Amino acid sequence: MTPIRHNHSDPAEPGRPERRRSDTDLVLDAARDCVLAVGVRRTTLTDVARRAGVSRMTLYRRWPDVRSLVGDLMTREWTAVAAGAMPAGADDRPVRARIVDGLVAGAAAFRAHPLFHKILDVDPELLLPYVLDRRGASQEAFLGLLVAAIGAGHEDGSVRRAPVDLQARSLLLVVQSFTLSLRTMTDETDPELNQDAFLGELRTLLERTLSP
């Protein structure tokens, strides 16, 4: 990606890996701001370039269209949510408890994420390919985290032994359905059917399917 011309001084030296990462984040931050403001369909690369302070050609060299840019944005945001929801490795509880807490916290964090809300409300068709046809980069990242965690759970005896890839994919299917479709089932006026009640039920489902 062509180095971005910042409007403020930047102590990083041109060409260093740290600079390239911050350049990408600068563009993705601008894309996020545009999507939050007007949605994906009304966002243009020109809008993003202007907000990021770069030329359109800088963006076109890396992202041919808005959808590819938003795809990278979703990958960054969703993987950060997933990684942030998982309990720290120093946690000395059984692995199963850590997996369950992380998945429930992750579902709640996704549902509270402003970008997730905006896409679900305004451009839900962007999510359909990842629900119906194929896995995306963020889903592959989630599976990587789950495979590692489940393997550790097999080792400490807190997770039921089964093919680890099957368990990981099954867990992702369950959590994905609670994350994407929860509002079709909740009634926030009823404490037995509000989001917290369903997240509690998700916890029970996960505990029972993972218990030896």
Side-chain angles (χ1 to χ4, degrees), residues 6 8 33 35 67 80 88 131 150-151 189:
H6 297 278
H8 56 277
D33 291 344
V35 171
R67 281 182 176 256
V131 176
I150 291 168
T189 67

Side-chain angles (χ1 to χ4, degrees), residues 32 35-36 40 70-86 106-107 109-120 123 126-127 130 136-142 145 176 179-180:
R32 180 191 58 206
V35 171
L36 289 176
V40 175
V70 171
D72 281 356
L73 171 63
M74 290 192 295
T75 296
R76 185 190 72 167
E77 298 291 311
W78 305 161
T79 53
V81 169
M86 295 303 291
F110 265 104
R111 295 196 54 76
H113 197 290
L115 183 66
F116 179 80
H117 263 287
K118 188 70 174 185
I119 290 174
L120 205 60
D123 302 288
L126 284 178
L127 302 175
Y130 310 112
S138 56
Q139 288 163 311
E140 293 291 356
F142 301 159
L145 291 172
Q176 191 168 273
T179 302
L180 293 175

Side-chain angles (χ1 to χ4, degrees), residues 57-134:
M57 288 310 301
T58 296
L59 267 63
Y60 280 122
R61 289 188 185 99
R62 172 122 182 223
W63 296 284
D65 52 39
V66 169
R67 281 182 176 256
S68 63
L69 174 57
V70 171
D72 281 356
L73 171 63
M74 290 192 295
T75 296
R76 185 190 72 167
E77 298 291 311
W78 305 161
T79 53
V81 169
M86 295 303 291
D91 192 326
D92 60 1
R93 293 175 300 155
V95 173
R96 185 182 75 247
R98 292 159 54 190
I99 293 173
V100 171
D101 282 353
L103 290 174
V104 174
F110 265 104
R111 295 196 54 76
H113 197 290
L115 183 66
F116 179 80
H117 263 287
K118 188 70 174 185
I119 290 174
L120 205 60
D121 290 341
V122 179
D123 302 288
E125 69 278 2
L126 284 178
L127 302 175
L128 285 178
Y130 310 112
V131 176
L132 301 177
D133 298 323
R134 59 185 171 83

Side-chain angles (χ1 to χ4, degrees), residues 17-39:
E18 291 81 3
R19 176 68 179 269
R20 289 196 293 272
R21 285 198 297 273
S22 66
D23 286 349
T24 297
D25 282 337
L26 182 67
V27 173
L28 294 179
D29 287 346
R32 180 191 58 206
D33 291 344
C34 288
V35 171
L36 289 176
V38 299

Side-chain angles (χ1 to χ4, degrees), residues 86 93-101 103 145-168 170-171 205-212:
M86 295 303 291
R93 293 175 300 155
V95 173
R96 185 182 75 247
R98 292 159 54 190
I99 293 173
V100 171
D101 282 353
L103 290 174
L145 291 172
L146 286 172
V147 165
I150 291 168
H154 289 171
E155 290 299 317
D156 80 351
S158 65
V159 173
R160 173 178 57 87
R161 283 192 175 269
V164 67
D165 287 331
L166 175 63
Q167 285 182 301
S170 297
L171 288 182
L205 291 171
L206 296 173
E207 280 280 0
R208 292 186 177 180
T209 195
L210 289 173
S211 294

